[in-house]
Amino acid sequence: MKMPSQRNILVPFNISCNDLNGVYHALALAERMQAKVIILMIDLNETCANSQIESWAQEALRDLVKSASQQGLPVSYHIAQDCFEKEINGLIAEENIDLLVFGAGDKMMADAMRGLRPKIGAQLIKVKEKGTAHFV
């Protein structure tokens, strides 16, 4: 099987949280590695009472994707239609994901990724704050 020449970074982004650190870090990595970034928008808190945070986060994310694309970075986003694990596993397989990057400021995302870690082959990076990331 031929290995893909382009690196692919997946960023699961919980729209009910405002932690964009994982997205910023993934975009910076993509620029250095000449990688493609795929952002998966998902709501891990399906009963989120604060729709203002959701709309702010979605708008900020769309602005980041637009800005990165204008700078020539290959970036796309997907809106989850299925359960978190199924969406992540599907994108890992379809897009040949090498690296998953997520923000540590979102406890629900960190817990969900911790549960997925043994089941996926891609490397995980947890971004605590701008400029601070840890391999998981």
Side-chain angles (χ1 to χ4, degrees):
M1 183 167 123
K2 185 179 176 186
M3 294 295 290
S5 58
Q6 183 177 30
R7 306 283 300 213
N8 295 309
I9 301 170
L10 175 60
V11 185
F13 178 76
N14 183 5
I15 61 172
S16 62
C17 181
N18 62 356
D19 183 4
L20 291 166
N21 287 328
V23 177
Y24 286 121
H25 191 78
L27 292 171
L29 279 174
E31 189 172 24
R32 286 188 298 238
M33 297 170 45
Q34 298 180 335
K36 176 182 177 184
V37 175
I38 298 108
I39 300 167
L40 174 63
M41 294 174 56
I42 192 157
D43 188 355
L44 292 176
N45 184 15
E46 294 173 10
T47 60
C48 181
N50 194 344
S51 61
Q52 288 180 335
I53 289 176
E54 277 187 55
S55 63
W56 174 86
Q58 290 176 7
E59 188 64 32
L61 185 60
R62 279 191 282 273
D63 288 346
L64 279 172
V65 168
K66 182 178 177 181
S67 176
S69 294
Q70 288 173 343
Q71 293 175 20
L73 283 174
V75 59
S76 63
Y77 71 91
H78 302 268
I79 299 171
Q81 302 295 320
D82 213 331
C83 75
F84 180 73
E85 186 172 338
K86 189 172 183 179
E87 290 281 350
I88 292 284
N89 287 330
L91 282 171
I92 288 171
E94 291 168 23
E95 300 286 346
N96 298 307
I97 299 299
D98 304 294
L99 189 61
L100 272 91
V101 178
F102 64 98
D106 180 358
K107 183 173 175 4
M108 285 185 289
M109 180 62 71
D111 291 345
M113 295 307 290
R114 190 176 306 113
L116 278 179
R117 183 175 174 220
K119 302 174 187 175
I120 59 176
Q123 179 69 51
L124 298 176
I125 294 180
K126 177 170 61 172
V127 182
K128 292 192 176 187
E129 56 190 42
K130 195 170 183 176
T132 307
H134 300 280
F135 285 94
V136 180

